[in-house]
Amino acid sequence: MLLGACSPASNSAAEAEQGKHVHFLYNFSTRSLDPHTDSSYVPLRAGITETLVRLDEDKLAVAPWLAKSWEGDDGEHWTIHLRDGITFQNGKPLTGDAVKASLERVIQENTGVNNALKIQSIEADGQTLHITTTEPFPEFVSELVNPNTSIIDVNESDIVNKPVGTGPFVLSSFTPGSRLELKRYDGYWNGASPLDGITFSFNEDANARSLALKSGQVDIVYRPEVESLASLDAQTGIRVDATSTFRVHQMTMNMQRPALQDVNVRHAIDALIDRKEIVDSILLGYGEPATGPFLPSLPFAPVYKQQAGGEEVAKQYLQKAGYTFVNGTMQKDGQPLKLTLLTYSSRADLPLIAQVFQSDAGRIGVGVDIRQIDTPEEYMAANRDWDLATYSNLTAPRGDAGYYLNATYHPKGALNFSGVHDDQLTAIIDKLNRTVEPQQRAVLAKQAADYVHDHVINAFVLYPSTIVAYNENKVKNWVTTRSEYYMITNKLDVM
């Protein structure tokens, strides 16, 4: 539909009518713009909403945004000072009471955020917030980087379809699953955008996204098809930009399934993953093999020795688990080993990883049934009828290990799709949550990551690069961020 929407002539007419305008094409669609629950983080990425603090990606540190400063020396009693002179896009002032109401709403609407923030009480006094957490939590402020904590005017009538935030662009219209139309907010506190408007549209087909840029129908494409990168790069006027991220593609394991409760089976699955081949053949080198959840360059990433892998190693682990290879099938007590593997198409490389794993597992007699799902977070949280899932996770979007470890391995974690409830691992994470000193936090983070590694609670496949392609003859000041949070900003411009 996007490709056939308009001819070059009508494009030119539309652009003249829109003024200075950029069309951004994203890979995840959403049917809700409620920033407190939207797992695609579209309201923040589209420049509608902002959070109290943001990540400084150069320093890997929390930086002011709507909040200008904060204190919380004991980790339990926090004082947050808001900037003066900020207004919502409806003209109402950003006050302590408005921020309090927004935070109270997200705590009520989003269980994962509620568990992460650990807020006991919030009091507002003018432009100052006084927040008490349920326990000492030194990294509390870093959790406010989460796009789901975006500050909105909760008194607006239709938050799902038209949230009102403080960002540089105000929503004009929203077609669920298709696109947003945005216009400049002239009263933006940090300087109005030079653009008149933005179209933020969705297409989960990577090939279609690439073709849309080649044909000039869009200006910026997030994650174009990897196979098309050479032709995009060769086309005059198109620039391909790639950067390492805080993301890992992992093989999530459902620890509640009987077969996967045996660590030897999990070792076998891990051994079957040919990481280098996947990076080279599927990502065409735009990534690197993963050894754990965190990029090796991060200060809290453990260093692992290279482990032997392959079919023979996987067979040895399965033999330890009591399986035998009979008539081309891996069996135990007369029952074949069959695994259901979930994947989703909005990240084009994940279904390909699933297919490679299915082929490799089949060669040692392990049956793998691939099941395509639409919204992985919703499906995996609500259903336990699966064994494995190719899943892509931001592991350090706050510049710290705490987010991923809490979300993925703590019993109350919003992304604990494996169903992990391990007292020893939980104790390490809880201690990390109470620790302030960075070097001590790094030690604890490594301990937790080592525990996950040694017990094979999930397998880590690769660290993908974030790839963006855009019309360099038109687009100005685009920045491909490592956190993947900050996309449409007031600095974005056209030539």
Side-chain angles (χ1 to χ4, degrees):
M1 291 177 64
L2 179 64
L3 289 171
C6 47
S7 66
S10 62
N11 264 341
S12 299
E15 288 177 4
E17 188 175 319
Q18 291 170 327
K20 295 180 69 174
H21 178 269
V22 166
H23 190 156
F24 176 87
L25 182 56
Y26 191 50
N27 60 315
F28 274 114
S29 64
T30 185
R31 305 196 69 81
S32 167
L33 292 182
D34 184 341
H36 293 163
T37 58
D38 173 31
S39 60
S40 296
Y41 305 150
V42 167
L44 184 131
R45 287 169 166 162
I48 300 170
T49 64
E50 297 169 312
T51 49
L52 291 173
V53 296
R54 61 180 293 151
L55 178 66
D56 182 324
E57 299 191 7
D58 294 326
K59 298 179 181 178
L60 289 183
V62 175
W65 207 2
L66 295 180
K68 62 182 179 181
S69 63
W70 53 88
E71 303 97 38
D73 293 340
D74 65 356
E76 189 174 0
H77 300 90
W78 296 88
T79 301
I80 297 177
H81 305 281
L82 303 177
R83 295 182 190 272
D84 296 319
I86 297 178
T87 59
F88 289 105
Q89 293 147 352
N90 56 14
K92 295 180 183 178
L94 180 79
T95 63
D97 286 326
V99 173
K100 176 179 183 289
S102 185
L103 291 175
E104 288 176 339
R105 182 181 184 275
V106 69
I107 289 170
Q108 180 178 352
E109 297 291 329
N110 191 320
T111 302
V113 173
N114 181 29
N115 292 337
L117 293 180
K118 308 180 194 298
I119 290 177
Q120 182 177 35
S121 64
I122 309 174
E123 295 180 5
D125 179 14
Q127 293 299 97
T128 302
L129 291 175
H130 300 285
I131 298 177
T132 302
T133 54
T134 56
E135 60 188 61
F137 184 28
E139 287 301 306
F140 167 71
V141 171
S142 73
E143 288 294 332
L144 297 174
V145 173
N146 186 338
N148 284 142
T149 68
S150 287
I151 304 304
I152 58 171
D153 183 352
V154 300
N155 294 313
E156 287 290 327
S157 60
D158 190 3
I159 292 174
V160 169
N161 293 297
K162 197 169 184 181
V164 173
T166 60
F169 290 94
V170 60
L171 184 66
S172 296
S173 65
F174 172 47
T175 306
S178 178
R179 67 174 57 205
L180 293 72
E181 295 294 343
L182 306 150
K183 63 181 180 180
R184 176 180 60 235
Y185 175 46
D186 290 327
Y188 180 55
W189 65 274
N190 200 25
S193 168
L195 297 175
D196 296 298
I198 296 279
T199 297
F200 192 111
S201 60
F202 315 112
N203 194 317
E204 297 187 354
D205 186 325
N207 179 55
R209 292 197 299 274
S210 296
L211 291 175
L213 180 62
K214 285 183 177 180
S215 65
Q217 294 180 51
V218 302
D219 305 307
I220 307 171
V221 168
Y222 207 75
R223 295 195 181 96
E225 184 185 44
V226 175
E227 291 83 357
S228 71
L229 293 180
S231 61
L232 284 171
D233 204 30
Q235 184 167 327
T236 302
I238 291 181
R239 176 175 176 176
V240 175
D241 193 21
T243 184
S244 62
T245 68
F246 305 127
R247 180 174 293 282
V248 69
H249 286 359
Q250 67 185 43
M251 187 74 76
T252 297
M253 302 190 189
N254 184 351
M255 302 287 283
Q256 297 175 357
R257 300 284 274 188
L260 294 179
Q261 290 175 355
D262 190 321
V263 68
N264 288 302
V265 175
R266 303 199 299 272
H267 271 298
I269 291 168
D270 184 72
L272 278 173
I273 300 171
D274 191 340
R275 292 159 172 83
K276 187 176 186 307
E277 174 61 25
I278 289 171
V279 170
D280 292 343
S281 63
I282 295 177
L283 268 68
L284 303 183
Y286 283 91
E288 57 182 290
T291 53
F294 306 118
L295 275 171
S297 59
L298 293 171
F300 42 79
V303 177
Y304 299 108
K305 294 180 180 179
Q306 186 170 359
Q307 293 182 308
E311 295 173 18
E312 292 305 315
V313 173
K315 285 181 181 179
Q316 292 171 15
Y317 278 118
L318 290 174
Q319 288 170 1
K320 290 180 182 179
Y323 289 87
T324 55
F325 192 65
V326 180
N327 297 326
T329 302
M330 196 64 69
Q331 301 181 9
K332 182 178 182 180
D333 301 327
Q335 297 297 316
L337 179 57
K338 293 184 177 180
L339 303 171
T340 297
L341 172 57
L342 305 180
T343 192
Y344 51 103
S345 61
S346 52
R347 296 191 185 278
D349 36 351
L350 295 185
L352 299 177
I353 292 172
Q355 291 169 19
V356 169
F357 180 82
Q358 180 188 52
S359 175
D360 292 344
R363 284 198 290 271
I364 64 168
V366 177
V368 175
D369 175 35
I370 297 176
R371 185 184 302 167
Q372 290 271 351
I373 56 176
D374 293 327
T375 309
E377 292 81 10
E378 291 180 8
Y379 189 92
M380 289 191 285
N383 300 278
R384 308 311 291 166
D385 59 348
W386 54 275
D387 301 285
L388 305 171
T390 57
Y391 185 65
S392 188
N393 206 330
L394 279 169
T395 58
R398 328 278 200 262
D400 182 86
Y403 160 76
Y404 174 79
L405 294 173
N406 276 281
T408 310
Y409 301 106
H410 198 281
K412 294 183 179 180
L415 304 179
N416 187 358
F417 305 127
S418 295
V420 183
H421 195 154
D422 187 299
D423 290 342
Q424 190 173 343
L425 179 57
T426 302
I428 299 172
I429 297 171
D430 285 341
K431 187 175 181 181
L432 171 69
N433 292 338
R434 297 190 298 268
T435 301
V436 180
E437 203 279 320
Q439 291 186 342
Q440 293 179 16
R441 288 184 60 78
V443 169
L444 290 166
K446 289 178 182 179
Q447 287 180 10
D450 281 337
Y451 192 94
V452 169
H453 178 269
D454 295 343
H455 292 79
V456 201
I457 308 174
N458 299 331
F460 305 98
V461 183
L462 57 88
Y463 310 113
S465 298
T466 289
I467 307 170
V468 178
Y470 61 91
N471 179 350
E472 64 179 348
N473 291 333
K474 177 180 179 181
V475 176
K476 182 180 178 182
N477 299 336
W478 167 263
V479 177
T480 304
T481 61
R482 298 178 70 192
S483 69
E484 306 177 33
Y485 286 169
Y486 315 114
M487 298 180 182
I488 305 301
T489 73
N490 65 325
K491 304 299 182 186
L492 189 63
D493 200 355
V494 295
M495 303 293 188

Coordinates of all heavy atoms in Angstrom, one line a residue, residues 95-160:
T95 N 3.8 20.9 35.6 CA 4.0 21.2 37.0 C 4.2 19.9 37.8 O 4.1 18.8 37.2 CB 2.7 21.8 37.6 OG1 1.6 20.8 37.5 CG2 2.3 23.1 36.9
G96 N 4.6 20.0 39.0 CA 4.8 18.9 39.9 C 3.6 18.0 40.0 O 3.6 16.8 39.9
D97 N 2.4 18.6 40.1 CA 1.2 17.9 40.2 C 0.9 17.1 38.9 O 0.4 16.0 38.9 CB 0.0 18.8 40.5 CG 0.0 19.3 41.9 OD1 0.4 18.6 42.8 OD2 -0.4 20.5 42.1
A98 N 1.2 17.7 37.7 CA 1.0 17.0 36.5 C 1.9 15.8 36.3 O 1.5 14.8 35.8 CB 1.2 18.0 35.3
V99 N 3.1 16.0 36.7 CA 4.1 14.9 36.6 C 3.7 13.8 37.6 O 3.7 12.6 37.3 CB 5.5 15.4 36.9 CG1 6.5 14.2 37.0 CG2 6.0 16.3 35.8
K100 N 3.3 14.1 38.8 CA 2.8 13.2 39.8 C 1.6 12.4 39.2 O 1.6 11.1 39.3 CB 2.3 13.9 41.0 CG 1.7 13.0 42.1 CD 1.4 13.9 43.4 CE 0.8 13.1 44.5 NZ -0.5 12.5 44.2
A101 N 0.7 13.0 38.6 CA -0.5 12.3 38.0 C -0.1 11.4 36.9 O -0.6 10.3 36.8 CB -1.5 13.3 37.5
S102 N 0.9 11.8 36.1 CA 1.4 10.9 35.0 C 2.1 9.7 35.6 O 1.9 8.6 35.1 CB 2.3 11.7 34.1 OG 2.7 11.0 33.0
L103 N 3.0 9.9 36.6 CA 3.7 8.7 37.1 C 2.7 7.8 37.8 O 2.9 6.6 37.8 CB 4.8 9.2 38.1 CG 5.9 9.9 37.5 CD1 6.9 10.5 38.6 CD2 6.7 9.0 36.5
E104 N 1.7 8.4 38.5 CA 0.7 7.5 39.2 C -0.1 6.7 38.2 O -0.4 5.5 38.5 CB -0.2 8.4 40.1 CG 0.5 8.9 41.3 CD -0.3 9.8 42.2 OE1 -1.3 10.4 41.6 OE2 0.0 10.0 43.4
R105 N -0.3 7.3 37.0 CA -1.1 6.5 36.0 C -0.3 5.4 35.5 O -0.8 4.3 35.3 CB -1.5 7.5 34.9 CG -2.3 6.7 33.8 CD -2.7 7.6 32.6 NE -3.6 6.9 31.7 CZ -3.2 6.2 30.7 NH1 -1.8 6.0 30.5 NH2 -4.0 5.5 29.9
V106 N 1.0 5.6 35.2 CA 1.8 4.5 34.6 C 2.0 3.4 35.6 O 2.0 2.2 35.3 CB 3.2 5.0 34.1 CG1 4.1 5.4 35.2 CG2 3.9 3.9 33.3
I107 N 2.1 3.7 36.9 CA 2.2 2.7 37.9 C 0.9 1.8 38.0 O 1.0 0.6 38.2 CB 2.5 3.4 39.3 CG1 3.9 3.9 39.4 CG2 2.3 2.4 40.5 CD1 4.1 4.8 40.6
Q108 N -0.2 2.5 37.8 CA -1.5 1.8 37.8 C -1.7 0.9 36.5 O -2.2 -0.2 36.6 CB -2.6 2.8 37.9 CG -4.0 2.1 38.0 CD -5.1 3.1 38.1 OE1 -4.9 4.3 38.4 NE2 -6.4 2.7 38.0
E109 N -1.2 1.5 35.4 CA -1.5 0.8 34.1 C -0.5 -0.2 33.7 O -0.8 -1.1 32.9 CB -1.6 1.9 33.0 CG -2.8 2.9 33.2 CD -4.1 2.3 33.0 OE1 -4.2 1.3 32.2 OE2 -5.1 2.7 33.6
N110 N 0.7 -0.1 34.2 CA 1.8 -1.0 33.7 C 2.5 -1.7 34.9 O 3.2 -1.1 35.6 CB 2.8 -0.1 32.9 CG 3.8 -1.0 32.2 OD1 4.3 -2.0 32.7 ND2 4.2 -0.5 31.0
T111 N 2.2 -3.0 35.0 CA 2.7 -3.7 36.2 C 4.2 -3.8 36.1 O 4.9 -3.7 37.2 CB 2.1 -5.2 36.2 OG1 0.7 -5.1 36.2 CG2 2.6 -6.0 37.4
G112 N 4.8 -4.0 34.9 CA 6.2 -4.0 34.8 C 6.9 -2.8 35.3 O 7.9 -2.8 36.0
V113 N 6.4 -1.6 34.9 CA 6.9 -0.4 35.3 C 6.8 -0.2 36.9 O 7.7 0.3 37.6 CB 6.3 0.8 34.6 CG1 6.8 2.2 35.1 CG2 6.7 0.7 33.1
N114 N 5.6 -0.6 37.3 CA 5.3 -0.5 38.8 C 6.4 -1.3 39.6 O 7.0 -0.8 40.5 CB 3.9 -1.0 39.1 CG 3.6 -1.0 40.6 OD1 4.1 -0.1 41.3 ND2 2.8 -1.9 41.0
N115 N 6.7 -2.5 39.1 CA 7.7 -3.4 39.8 C 9.1 -2.8 39.6 O 9.9 -2.9 40.6 CB 7.7 -4.8 39.2 CG 6.4 -5.5 39.5 OD1 5.7 -5.2 40.5 ND2 6.0 -6.5 38.7
A116 N 9.3 -2.1 38.5 CA 10.7 -1.6 38.3 C 10.9 -0.3 39.1 O 12.0 -0.1 39.6 CB 10.9 -1.3 36.8
L117 N 9.9 0.5 39.2 CA 10.1 1.8 39.9 C 10.1 1.7 41.4 O 10.7 2.5 42.1 CB 9.1 2.8 39.5 CG 9.1 3.3 38.0 CD1 8.0 4.3 37.8 CD2 10.5 3.9 37.7
K118 N 9.4 0.7 41.9 CA 9.3 0.5 43.4 C 8.9 1.7 44.2 O 9.4 2.0 45.2 CB 10.6 0.0 43.9 CG 11.3 -1.2 43.2 CD 12.6 -1.6 43.8 CE 13.4 -2.5 42.9 NZ 12.7 -3.8 42.6
I119 N 7.9 2.5 43.6 CA 7.5 3.7 44.2 C 6.5 3.4 45.3 O 5.5 2.8 45.1 CB 6.9 4.7 43.2 CG1 8.0 5.2 42.3 CG2 6.2 5.9 43.9 CD1 7.5 6.2 41.2
Q120 N 6.7 4.0 46.5 CA 5.8 3.9 47.6 C 4.8 5.1 47.7 O 3.6 5.0 47.9 CB 6.5 3.8 48.9 CG 5.6 3.6 50.1 CD 6.3 3.4 51.4 OE1 7.4 3.9 51.6 NE2 5.8 2.5 52.3
S121 N 5.4 6.3 47.5 CA 4.6 7.5 47.5 C 5.2 8.6 46.7 O 6.4 8.6 46.5 CB 4.4 8.0 49.0 OG 5.7 8.4 49.5
I122 N 4.4 9.5 46.2 CA 4.8 10.7 45.4 C 4.1 11.9 46.0 O 2.9 11.9 46.2 CB 4.5 10.6 43.9 CG1 5.0 9.3 43.3 CG2 5.1 11.8 43.2 CD1 4.6 9.1 41.9
E123 N 4.9 13.0 46.3 CA 4.3 14.2 46.7 C 4.8 15.3 45.8 O 6.0 15.3 45.4 CB 4.7 14.5 48.2 CG 4.1 13.6 49.2 CD 4.5 13.9 50.6 OE1 5.2 14.9 50.8 OE2 4.2 13.1 51.5
A124 N 4.0 16.3 45.5 CA 4.4 17.4 44.6 C 4.3 18.7 45.4 O 3.4 18.9 46.2 CB 3.4 17.5 43.4
D125 N 5.3 19.5 45.2 CA 5.4 20.8 45.8 C 5.9 21.8 44.8 O 7.1 22.0 44.6 CB 6.3 20.8 47.0 CG 6.5 22.1 47.7 OD1 5.6 23.0 47.4 OD2 7.4 22.3 48.5
G126 N 5.0 22.4 44.1 CA 5.4 23.3 43.0 C 6.1 22.6 41.9 O 5.5 21.6 41.3
Q127 N 7.3 22.9 41.6 CA 8.1 22.3 40.6 C 9.0 21.2 41.1 O 10.0 20.8 40.5 CB 9.0 23.3 39.8 CG 8.2 24.3 39.0 CD 7.4 23.6 37.9 OE1 6.2 23.4 38.0 NE2 8.0 23.4 36.8
T128 N 8.7 20.7 42.3 CA 9.5 19.7 43.0 C 8.7 18.5 43.3 O 7.6 18.6 43.7 CB 10.2 20.3 44.3 OG1 10.9 21.4 43.9 CG2 11.1 19.2 44.9
L129 N 9.3 17.3 43.1 CA 8.7 16.0 43.4 C 9.5 15.4 44.6 O 10.7 15.4 44.5 CB 8.6 15.1 42.2 CG 7.7 15.4 41.1 CD1 8.0 14.4 39.9 CD2 6.3 15.4 41.5
H130 N 8.7 14.8 45.5 CA 9.4 14.1 46.6 C 8.8 12.6 46.4 O 7.6 12.4 46.6 CB 9.0 14.6 48.0 CG 9.4 16.0 48.2 ND1 10.8 16.4 48.4 CD2 8.8 17.2 48.1 CE1 10.9 17.7 48.5 NE2 9.7 18.2 48.3
I131 N 9.7 11.7 46.1 CA 9.4 10.3 45.8 C 10.1 9.4 46.9 O 11.3 9.5 47.1 CB 9.7 9.9 44.4 CG1 9.0 10.8 43.4 CG2 9.4 8.4 44.2 CD1 9.3 10.5 42.0
T132 N 9.3 8.5 47.5 CA 9.8 7.5 48.4 C 9.6 6.2 47.8 O 8.5 5.8 47.3 CB 9.1 7.6 49.8 OG1 9.3 8.9 50.3 CG2 9.7 6.6 50.7
T133 N 10.7 5.4 47.7 CA 10.6 4.0 47.2 C 10.4 3.0 48.3 O 10.6 3.3 49.5 CB 11.9 3.6 46.4 OG1 13.1 3.8 47.2 CG2 12.1 4.5 45.2
T134 N 9.9 1.8 47.9 CA 9.6 0.8 48.9 C 10.8 0.3 49.6 O 10.7 -0.4 50.6 CB 8.8 -0.3 48.3 OG1 9.6 -0.9 47.2 CG2 7.5 0.2 47.7
E135 N 12.0 0.5 49.0 CA 13.2 0.0 49.6 C 14.4 0.9 49.0 O 14.2 1.6 48.0 CB 13.5 -1.5 49.2 CG 13.5 -1.7 47.7 CD 13.6 -3.2 47.3 OE1 12.6 -3.9 47.7 OE2 14.5 -3.6 46.7
P136 N 15.5 0.9 49.7 CA 16.6 1.6 49.0 C 16.9 1.1 47.6 O 17.1 -0.1 47.4 CB 17.8 1.3 50.0 CG 17.2 1.0 51.3 CD 15.9 0.3 51.0
F137 N 16.9 2.0 46.7 CA 17.0 1.6 45.2 C 17.9 2.7 44.6 O 17.3 3.6 44.0 CB 15.6 1.6 44.7 CG 15.5 1.1 43.2 CD1 16.5 0.3 42.7 CD2 14.5 1.5 42.4 CE1 16.4 -0.1 41.4 CE2 14.4 1.1 41.1 CZ 15.4 0.3 40.6
P138 N 19.2 2.6 44.6 CA 20.1 3.6 44.1 C 19.9 3.9 42.6 O 20.2 5.0 42.2 CB 21.5 3.0 44.4 CG 21.3 2.1 45.5 CD 19.9 1.5 45.3
E139 N 19.4 3.0 41.8 CA 19.3 3.2 40.4 C 17.9 3.6 40.0 O 17.5 3.5 38.8 CB 19.7 1.9 39.6 CG 21.2 1.6 39.6 CD 22.0 2.7 39.0 OE1 21.7 3.1 37.9 OE2 22.9 3.3 39.7
F140 N 17.1 4.1 41.0 CA 15.8 4.5 40.7 C 15.7 5.5 39.5 O 14.9 5.4 38.6 CB 15.2 5.2 41.9 CG 13.9 5.9 41.7 CD1 12.7 5.2 41.4 CD2 13.8 7.3 41.7 CE1 11.5 5.9 41.1 CE2 12.7 8.0 41.5 CZ 11.5 7.3 41.2
V141 N 16.5 6.5 39.5 CA 16.4 7.6 38.5 C 16.7 7.0 37.1 O 16.1 7.4 36.1 CB 17.4 8.7 38.8 CG1 17.5 9.7 37.6 CG2 16.9 9.5 40.0
S142 N 17.6 6.0 37.0 CA 17.9 5.4 35.7 C 16.7 4.7 35.1 O 16.5 4.6 33.9 CB 19.1 4.5 35.8 OG 18.7 3.3 36.4
E143 N 15.8 4.2 36.0 CA 14.6 3.6 35.5 C 13.6 4.6 34.9 O 12.7 4.2 34.1 CB 13.8 2.9 36.6 CG 14.5 1.6 37.1 CD 14.6 0.5 36.1 OE1 13.6 0.5 35.2 OE2 15.5 -0.3 36.1
L144 N 13.8 5.9 35.2 CA 12.9 6.9 34.6 C 13.3 7.2 33.2 O 12.7 8.1 32.5 CB 13.0 8.2 35.4 CG 12.4 8.0 36.9 CD1 12.6 9.3 37.7 CD2 10.9 7.7 36.8
V145 N 14.4 6.6 32.6 CA 14.7 6.7 31.2 C 13.7 5.9 30.4 O 13.5 6.2 29.2 CB 16.2 6.1 31.0 CG1 16.5 6.1 29.5 CG2 17.2 7.0 31.7
N146 N 13.1 4.9 31.0 CA 12.1 4.0 30.3 C 11.1 4.9 29.6 O 10.4 5.7 30.2 CB 11.5 3.1 31.3 CG 10.6 2.1 30.7 OD1 10.1 2.2 29.6 ND2 10.3 1.0 31.4
P147 N 10.9 4.7 28.2 CA 9.9 5.4 27.5 C 8.5 5.3 28.1 O 7.6 6.2 27.9 CB 10.0 4.9 26.1 CG 11.4 4.4 26.0 CD 11.7 3.9 27.3
N148 N 8.2 4.2 28.7 CA 6.9 4.0 29.3 C 6.6 5.0 30.5 O 5.5 5.1 30.9 CB 6.7 2.6 29.8 CG 6.4 1.6 28.7 OD1 6.9 0.5 28.7 ND2 5.7 2.0 27.7
T149 N 7.7 5.6 31.0 CA 7.5 6.7 32.0 C 7.3 8.0 31.4 O 7.4 9.0 32.2 CB 8.6 6.6 33.0 OG1 9.8 7.1 32.4 CG2 8.9 5.3 33.6
S150 N 7.1 8.1 30.2 CA 6.8 9.4 29.5 C 5.8 10.2 30.2 O 4.8 9.7 30.7 CB 6.4 9.2 28.1 OG 7.4 8.8 27.2
I151 N 6.0 11.5 30.3 CA 5.1 12.4 31.0 C 4.1 13.0 30.1 O 4.4 13.6 29.0 CB 5.9 13.6 31.7 CG1 7.0 13.0 32.6 CG2 4.9 14.5 32.5 CD1 6.5 12.1 33.7
I152 N 2.8 12.8 30.4 CA 1.7 13.2 29.5 C 0.7 13.9 30.4 O 0.7 13.8 31.6 CB 1.0 12.1 28.8 CG1 0.5 11.0 29.8 CG2 2.0 11.4 27.8 CD1 -0.4 9.9 29.2
D153 N -0.2 14.7 29.8 CA -1.3 15.3 30.4 C -2.4 14.2 30.6 O -3.1 13.8 29.6 CB -1.9 16.5 29.7 CG -3.0 17.2 30.4 OD1 -3.5 16.6 31.4 OD2 -3.5 18.2 29.9
V154 N -2.6 13.7 31.8 CA -3.5 12.5 32.0 C -5.0 13.0 31.9 O -5.9 12.1 31.9 CB -3.2 11.8 33.3 CG1 -1.8 11.3 33.3 CG2 -3.4 12.7 34.5
N155 N -5.2 14.3 31.9 CA -6.6 14.7 31.8 C -7.2 14.8 30.4 O -8.4 15.1 30.3 CB -6.7 16.1 32.5 CG -6.4 16.1 34.0 OD1 -6.9 15.3 34.7 ND2 -5.5 17.0 34.4
E156 N -6.3 14.5 29.4 CA -6.8 14.4 28.1 C -7.8 13.2 27.9 O -7.6 12.2 28.5 CB -5.7 14.3 27.1 CG -4.9 15.6 26.9 CD -5.7 16.7 26.2 OE1 -6.5 16.4 25.3 OE2 -5.6 17.9 26.5
S157 N -8.7 13.3 27.0 CA -9.8 12.3 26.9 C -9.5 11.1 26.2 O -10.1 10.0 26.4 CB -11.1 13.0 26.3 OG -10.8 13.4 25.0
D158 N -8.5 11.1 25.3 CA -8.2 10.0 24.4 C -6.7 9.7 24.4 O -6.1 10.0 23.3 CB -8.8 10.2 23.0 CG -8.8 8.9 22.2 OD1 -8.3 7.9 22.7 OD2 -9.1 9.0 21.0
I159 N -6.2 9.2 25.4 CA -4.7 8.9 25.5 C -4.3 7.9 24.5 O -3.2 7.9 24.0 CB -4.3 8.6 27.0 CG1 -4.5 9.8 27.9 CG2 -2.9 8.1 27.0 CD1 -4.3 9.6 29.3
V160 N -5.1 6.9 24.3 CA -4.8 5.8 23.4 C -4.5 6.3 21.9 O -3.6 5.8 21.3 CB -5.9 4.7 23.4 CG1 -5.6 3.7 22.2 CG2 -5.9 4.0 24.7

